[in-house]
Amino acid sequence: MPTPLSLHLGTLLKMVSVKTEIAQDTLLIGIGASPGIAIGQPFQVDRVRMVTVERRLAREEVAGEVDSFLEAVQLSKQQLEEVKAAVSDAEMAEHLYIIDTHLLILEDQMLVDDTVALVRDELINAEGALKRTLDKFRQVFDRIEDEYLRDRRTDIDSIGERLMRNLMGQTQQSLCDIDRKAIVVAHDLSPADTMQMNRDKIIGFVTDVGGRTSHTAILARSMGIPAVIGMETISTIVPRGTLMIIDGSSGMVILNPTEETLQAYQEKKAAYEKRQTEYLSFTDLLAETIDGHRVVLRGNVELADEVPLAQRYGAEGVGLFRSEFLFLNRPVPPSEEEQVQGYRAVVEAMAPHSVTIRTLDLGGDKFVPEINLADELNPAMGLRAVRFSLKERRLFKAQLRAILRASAFGQVRMMFPMISGIAEIRDCKAILAEAQKELTEEGAPFDAQMPIGIMIEIPSAAIVADMLASEVDFFSVGTNDLIQYLLAVDRGNEHVAYLYEPLHPAVLRALRSICQAARDAGIPVSMCGEMAADPFYSQVLLGLGFNELSMNPPDVPRVKQILRQTTCQQAELLLEKLLLLKTASEVSRYLEREMASRFPDIFGTPFS
Ligand code: PEP
Ligand code: MG
């Protein structure tokens, strides 16, 4: 008998997981990839990496090995075509491109030719040759700095695994086989696995690996399946039959919950689902007050993949596309062409609604070391956003050209961040005019009427909003920064977070004068800071006269719900009262009482 110490760690883990009852309320933390709560038993999916053996071939074995490999490629293609054909759901159909990507990888000459060459020239068996080729692919992906592109390595992993299984004659466990409601627990899941998930049976999933931008995570969000990923070892430690709770919003997984925890989560789940159903029933309803006043609710989006989510929650376009996300974590900035493709994807997906593309807002808390932003003592007040663009004119003009070119494919609005006054907007417009002239000379199509707007997020811009209004087609208020600069409170510093008060009388007055300036000039005014997403403030923003609000897509229905139960007159009266109060806490208390009495289900019982 081996002593426990001499046991292999894996065996030990298995013994612990099989024989030992897992402690009650065992809490594990991962990455919340898709919100929602699932309570159930695990269904372990065996996606453990296969053990491949490399061996040297005799000359006469070569032809047979090459044939086996090419057959495995064919079989893998056939299987993926079958997954494609079986997807009937219109919502999922838009994700078929992922399967197409996998099919393309199978057609990649490097993958096929390199493997065959290793078999033929180096006399390596097909398994070993395929492993070497896949390792080479993975190394290339691992060197990519861009998180989104690096996450595409999972596509190589999943197609590599399928190919290897087919080559080794192993059948792949299919998620279609699950015959009871369960939470899938796996080391990893491929997008093809996720697409096959039957939403009646698979109530959630947890995986050891994965990033928020992996295709699997994106699919989970768009399918509305709660998921927690990046849990490192969960696939090895959940015993069969364990009751588990997963909370895809917080990224928490609780194993073997006590009665008390279970009940608390059952209530949380019921409340979440009730809210979701109520919210989705708002999707097709207009964001309109009882007295017929329309407010356009749009989504804040960083990547094209988020557009389906925005549509699902009823966003009427993208009110803030943070273009800097195309520039982050990569060695060199994207070319003009690459940017056109990135913007065009969002614009076409969002049609017929408009997409407001904000030009680069680098700097502040968004660093791109590769773009040589100097170390600054006070980056929030330093060379960021449009100040940086106006210094790096070539980069800026390439972006303006790309946005203009994307405007040929749908409704595009362009917006400049961190404008502090008239001089800056005129400078921006001068470079825009050069870009338009160049494109006209080149015969490249663009929308010559594309609306041009600015973010109002610096106090000086708020103060001269009346002057700025005559220079632009719309305003969008960035409260995240406006509050930070108005109150001199670093938005990322937890020590002064208590001073970050959206209801500070100075903030309310600034918002009122911005809205007044827009109204006087007859231009629309939007808000795209986080304040727009919190339904607690919706009546205040309506009272102030915002025509548009842009927010994270899942917040759209919550805000719509409040607007639909309010009249403009109520909101204006409320605002008048709030504007008379002298401190942020007085304003806040007044609003809490008001919201709790008008919306007791949402904001609780009235405060004393
Ligand atoms: C804002 O400042 O409110 C805003 C929307 O921009 P960001 O959060 O990207 O600075
Ligand atoms: Mg900002």
Side-chain angles (χ1 to χ4, degrees):
M1 273 277 285
T3 63
L5 272 180
S6 68
L7 281 175
H8 183 263
L9 179 65
T11 320
L12 200 61
L13 273 175
K14 255 189 221 140
M15 283 179 63
V16 170
S17 61
V18 173
K19 297 208 176 126
T20 317
E21 174 83 343
I22 206 136
Q24 284 214 295
D25 275 350
T26 299
L27 175 67
L28 304 168
I29 310 269
I31 301 167
S34 177
I37 290 165
I39 303 173
Q41 295 199 338
F43 179 97
Q44 263 103 352
V45 175
D46 172 24
R47 288 286 189 275
V48 176
R49 303 267 156 259
M50 280 153 297
V51 181
T52 50
V53 179
E54 183 174 313
R55 72 180 173 87
R56 216 179 146 69
L57 298 173
R59 276 262 165 240
E60 57 275 21
E61 288 178 291
V62 168
E65 285 291 295
V66 170
D67 285 352
S68 308
F69 172 66
L70 295 177
E71 275 165 25
V73 173
Q74 276 316 318
L75 181 59
S76 305
K77 281 187 192 166
Q78 195 185 318
Q79 288 166 344
L80 288 174
E81 291 291 357
E82 281 164 17
V83 172
K84 250 179 96 170
V87 173
S88 52
D89 193 327
E91 212 175 280
M92 292 311 301
E94 69 202 35
H95 295 297
L96 285 178
Y97 74 95
I98 297 170
I99 301 291
D100 286 331
T101 310
H102 287 193
L103 283 164
L104 277 176
I105 297 173
L106 281 174
E107 264 150 37
D108 188 287
Q109 284 310 304
M110 211 169 99
L111 179 77
V112 177
D113 293 355
D114 284 12
T115 308
V116 171
L118 283 170
V119 177
R120 286 210 176 112
D121 306 340
E122 306 209 12
L123 303 180
I124 297 173
N125 64 333
E127 254 172 70
L130 175 60
K131 179 164 186 306
R132 281 198 192 191
T133 314
L134 290 171
D135 285 347
K136 203 165 78 186
F137 266 71
R138 289 190 189 106
Q139 278 165 14
V140 171
F141 273 82
D142 282 347
R143 282 199 295 270
I144 297 176
E145 296 216 10
D146 181 278
E147 187 197 357
Y148 180 78
L149 287 178
R150 202 177 45 238
D151 276 351
R152 301 286 76 79
R153 195 195 115 143
T154 55
D155 294 330
I156 302 286
D157 287 341
S158 62
I159 195 61
E161 179 175 328
R162 179 180 294 277
L163 196 49
M164 191 66 90
R165 274 186 196 279
N166 286 331
L167 182 61
M168 294 165 80
Q170 295 182 2
T171 49
Q172 184 148 337
Q173 198 180 2
S174 165
L175 292 183
C176 304
D177 302 338
I178 299 183
D179 55 359
R180 59 185 162 88
K181 281 193 190 290
I183 295 172
V184 167
V185 178
H187 172 69
D188 194 7
L189 288 172
S190 71
D193 285 329
T194 315
M195 286 176 81
Q196 282 178 320
M197 283 187 183
N198 175 344
R199 271 171 270 189
D200 294 334
K201 295 283 182 328
I202 297 175
I203 54 175
F205 69 81
V206 292
T207 59
D208 293 340
V209 301
R212 260 190 68 78
T213 53
S214 64
H215 274 135
T216 299
I218 293 165
L219 281 171
R221 286 197 286 277
S222 83
M223 292 171 77
I225 297 180
V228 181
I229 59 176
M231 304 216 59
E232 303 200 344
T233 53
I234 192 153
S235 69
T236 59
I237 59 173
V238 183
R240 212 173 283 272
T242 313
L243 187 60
M244 56 193 295
I245 299 173
I246 72 169
D247 183 343
S249 313
S250 63
M252 288 198 313
V253 173
I254 300 166
L255 303 179
N256 199 10
T258 57
E259 257 316 303
E260 213 183 335
T261 307
L262 186 61
Q263 198 180 335
Y265 269 90
Q266 272 160 345
E267 282 165 18
K268 216 172 155 186
K269 178 172 183 302
Y272 178 85
E273 281 163 6
K274 184 165 171 264
R275 274 199 312 272
Q276 288 312 107
T277 329
E278 283 168 7
Y279 292 155
L280 286 180
S281 66
F282 290 136
T283 303
D284 297 329
L285 299 177
L286 292 177
E288 190 173 69
T289 60
I290 297 171
D291 47 350
H293 180 81
R294 277 280 276 129
V295 180
V296 180
L297 302 186
R298 297 200 165 102
N300 290 355
V301 161
E302 280 88 35
L303 296 168
D305 287 318
E306 293 167 35
V307 169
L309 189 75
Q311 286 162 327
R312 178 134 63 91
Y313 284 103
E316 300 174 75
V318 172
L320 170 62
F321 179 74
R322 289 182 161 103
S323 68
E324 56 276 11
F325 279 79
L326 285 177
F327 289 68
L328 295 179
N329 300 322
R330 47 181 297 150
V332 282
S335 65
E336 178 181 321
E337 195 52 47
E338 204 180 326
Q339 289 185 63
V340 175
Q341 297 316 323
Y343 305 142
R344 180 180 170 179
V346 179
V347 169
E348 288 186 333
M350 207 66 232
H353 297 300
S354 69
V355 174
T356 306
I357 303 175
R358 176 173 78 179
T359 63
L360 264 185
D361 184 2
L362 289 175
D365 58 352
K366 285 171 264 184
F367 287 107
V368 180
E370 300 79 8
I371 294 188
N372 269 338
L373 283 169
D375 273 350
E376 292 178 320
L377 272 180
N378 199 345
M381 293 201 188
L383 188 65
R384 64 171 282 199
V386 82
R387 305 164 179 191
F388 169 77
S389 297
L390 287 170
K391 185 158 173 277
E392 299 290 334
R393 287 182 178 239
R394 270 212 352 226
L395 191 77
F396 191 30
K397 194 176 322 152
Q399 181 173 39
L400 300 187
R401 285 174 53 100
I403 298 173
L404 282 166
R405 286 173 57 195
S407 74
F409 300 97
Q411 299 287 321
V412 177
R413 310 198 301 174
M414 183 190 283
M415 168 161 90
F416 299 106
M418 297 277 294
I419 292 289
S420 64
I422 295 281
E424 263 166 352
I425 182 63
R426 289 192 179 151
D427 272 359
C428 293
K429 280 165 57 177
I431 300 177
L432 180 65
E434 280 172 31
Q436 286 169 322
K437 187 162 168 278
E438 285 171 12
L439 291 175
T440 309
E441 282 162 8
E442 291 162 25
F446 65 89
D447 175 9
Q449 308 304 319
M450 178 178 68
I452 307 300
I454 52 172
M455 298 229 7
I456 305 279
E457 51 186 344
I458 296 187
S460 58
I463 291 168
V464 297
D466 55 331
M467 299 180 188
L468 289 167
S470 58
E471 293 280 335
V472 292
D473 301 312
F474 65 94
F475 283 163
S476 187
V477 181
T479 42
N480 305 343
D481 278 316
L482 184 61
I483 297 170
Q484 122 162 311
Y485 296 126
L486 263 179
L487 305 182
V489 178
D490 179 349
R491 66 193 249 195
N493 181 339
E494 68 279 13
H495 302 298
V496 287
Y498 70 99
L499 289 170
Y500 193 92
E501 292 168 317
L503 293 176
H504 191 292
V507 175
L508 291 183
R509 286 182 180 200
L511 295 178
R512 181 180 56 175
S513 86
I514 297 165
C515 289
Q516 187 60 50
R519 218 173 4 252
D520 290 347
I523 60 169
V525 57
S526 168
M527 176 182 283
C528 61
E530 291 304 307
M531 192 177 181
D534 190 338
F536 181 63
Y537 303 120
S538 301
Q539 295 216 6
V540 179
L541 304 186
L542 177 67
L544 282 162
F546 280 93
N547 316 98
E548 300 169 14
L549 303 173
S550 191
M551 61 202 75
N552 291 330
D555 294 316
V556 167
R558 304 195 310 149
V559 171
K560 197 187 276 184
Q561 185 184 23
I562 302 292
L563 295 176
R564 289 185 57 83
Q565 294 178 54
T566 309
T567 65
C568 269
Q569 201 194 9
Q570 271 171 345
E572 281 160 10
L573 282 175
L574 171 65
L575 180 73
E576 262 177 45
K577 298 216 175 88
L578 298 182
L579 283 166
L580 295 174
L581 301 172
K582 297 195 170 66
T583 68
S585 40
E586 281 175 46
V587 179
S588 189
R589 274 202 302 277
Y590 193 100
L591 186 60
E592 276 167 8
R593 272 199 299 274
E594 193 71 16
M595 295 305 275
S597 76
R598 280 197 199 164
F599 306 96
D601 289 352
I602 306 169
F603 298 103
T605 47
F607 295 80
S608 55

